[in-house]
Amino acid sequence: MTAFHAFPDHAARYLVRSAITAPSPYNTQPWRFVNHGDELQLHADPSRHLAVADPNGREMLISCGAALFSLRLAVRHLGFLPLVHTFPDSARPWAAMTWAESVSCPGRTVPRPVRPGP
């Protein structure tokens, strides 16, 4: 049985700090994250879109994908299994992620404690 967990604030901060290290054009970081208890949402931020350098938004989409990948790695590092839904629907964010206890995560079956940052 899979148990889903809400993201504690300190865990969500750790995950977002890990995700924002992803590359983006001119370091614009065209994303924003929203913590909704049991779901961490990734939104593309159109206000950071470089219209001249990236007229079709392709690089912005790639950057959001890189941030999502980094986010998934951080969740695995904590010993959980990321459950990602990309493009859930037009009224929702670019990606939504929940996490569950990983009973089959190779090398780690117990979640590592998360220490709040300085």
Side-chain angles (χ1 to χ4, degrees), residues 60-80:
M60 184 171 75
L61 183 65
I62 291 170
S63 297
C64 288
L68 180 61
F69 182 78
S70 297
L71 185 66
R72 291 175 59 211
L73 287 177
V75 170
R76 290 299 299 258
H77 174 76
L78 294 178
F80 290 90

Side-chain angles (χ1 to χ4, degrees), residues 4 47 50 108:
F4 293 95
S47 70
L50 300 174
R108 189 172 295 148

Side-chain angles (χ1 to χ4, degrees), residues 82-108:
L83 305 170
V84 178
H85 305 282
T86 54
F87 305 108
D89 64 59
S90 60
R92 298 217 26 200
W94 185 79
M97 185 184 71
T98 55
W99 64 355
E101 278 190 59
S102 178
V103 293
S104 62
C105 183
R108 189 172 295 148

